Amino acid sequence: SSNRLSPDFVRGIAAAVTGIREISLNEQSRVISFASAESDDVRINVYYTTRTIGTALAHPYQGATQLFRRNCTTEELKNIFENP
């Protein structure tokens, strides 16, 4: 469908945000992953065909917590990159 994102489109949005780096692309799972440039404590997984974004935050006591947002708009994706 036309709602799908492409990895290159997601990369373009990430490139406009400072402090984010790409760490992996899994075409089988259709997920492109990013991390904070300063640390690996923050991971952002973008499931580009479904516009689902998972943010995983490494919590010092509770371990990693992951939050999923579904059907994200381009604006929401940009906002999550800026403030995961």
Side-chain angles (χ1 to χ4, degrees):
S1 79
S2 60
N3 285 346
R4 291 180 169 199
L5 301 172
S6 70
D8 284 339
F9 184 83
V10 176
R11 285 179 179 127
I13 293 175
V17 177
T18 51
I20 291 290
R21 63 193 164 87
E22 182 179 335
I23 52 175
S24 69
L25 170 63
N26 183 327
E27 292 183 342
Q28 285 73 37
S29 299
R30 297 182 172 88
V31 59
I32 185 168
S33 299
F34 297 85
S36 166
E38 295 89 54
S39 74
D40 289 321
D41 288 349
V42 177
R43 274 185 72 141
I44 303 167
N45 301 316
V46 182
Y47 298 85
Y48 48 87
T49 59
T50 60
R51 290 180 171 261
T52 295
I53 302 169
T55 49
L57 305 176
H59 194 279
Y61 308 113
Q62 298 163 325
T65 57
Q66 189 156 208
L67 174 67
F68 286 97
R69 298 171 179 91
R70 303 190 193 290
N71 301 311
C72 286
T73 65
T74 301
E75 191 63 29
E76 286 170 326
L77 175 59
K78 184 172 182 289
N79 291 341
I80 291 166
F81 276 146
E82 288 171 345
N83 187 13

